[in-house]
């Protein structure tokens, strides 16, 4: 079981680690064998090495990340959240915005054991 405040703290740690591209803080919120499903049709990232590599990849592609949880819910040992994020692409300086929803199964030690995430990108303005 996880309570509402602990769910909020976990989501804040998630966002703070992403915004800072802090690989240590990022893997600290996941169990050693955690599954991260960033694509509902693809294979998950599994374990700290894969999660750290994904954070390193993000750090190479993004800057000025802003992550905001719009609302979250807790049911048993699962945290659910609607969120949005924006960043600047390092390659060309273009702004990216996405909205998403995540479900995080939380282990008894308070870390995420399985995370599913769905994202939709905001289309870039024409021009």
């Amino acid at each position: 079981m996880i309570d509402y405040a602990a769910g909020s703290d976990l989501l804040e740690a998630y966002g703070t680690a992403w915004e800072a591209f802090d690989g240590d803080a990022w893997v600290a919120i996941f169990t050693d064998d955690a599954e991260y499903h960033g694509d509902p049709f693809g294979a998950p990232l599994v374990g700290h090495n894969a999660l750290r590599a994904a954070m390193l990849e993000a750090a190479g592609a993004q800057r000025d990340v802003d992550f905001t949880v719009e609302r979250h819910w807790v049911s048993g040992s699962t945290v659910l959240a609607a969120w949005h994020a924006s960043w600047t692409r390092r390659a060309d300086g273009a702004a990216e915005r996405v909205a998403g929803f995540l479900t995080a199964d939380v282990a008894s030690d308070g870390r995420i054991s399985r995370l599913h995430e769905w994202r939709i990108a905001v289309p870039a303005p024409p021009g």
Side-chain angles (χ1 to χ4, degrees), residues 23-116:
D24 291 335
W26 180 249
V27 298
I29 65 172
F30 292 93
T31 60
D32 295 344
D33 60 349
E35 294 180 11
Y36 184 103
H37 298 260
D39 175 351
F41 303 106
L45 301 174
V46 179
H48 282 184
N49 287 340
L51 291 166
R52 190 180 297 277
M55 181 57 67
L56 184 60
E57 183 179 331
Q62 305 167 349
R63 65 178 169 85
D64 306 322
V65 173
D66 180 35
F67 174 82
T68 302
V69 173
E70 297 168 12
R71 184 166 180 170
H72 79 280
W73 304 262
V74 173
S75 178
S77 61
T78 303
V79 177
L80 305 101
W83 58 270
H84 64 268
S86 62
W87 60 84
T88 303
R89 288 193 310 235
R90 289 190 187 275
D92 60 8
E96 292 241 0
R97 292 182 7 189
V98 297
F101 190 84
L102 67 78
T103 64
D105 296 337
V106 181
S108 60
D109 65 1
R111 297 184 299 159
I112 298 168
S113 61
R114 185 178 315 120
L115 187 139
H116 288 151

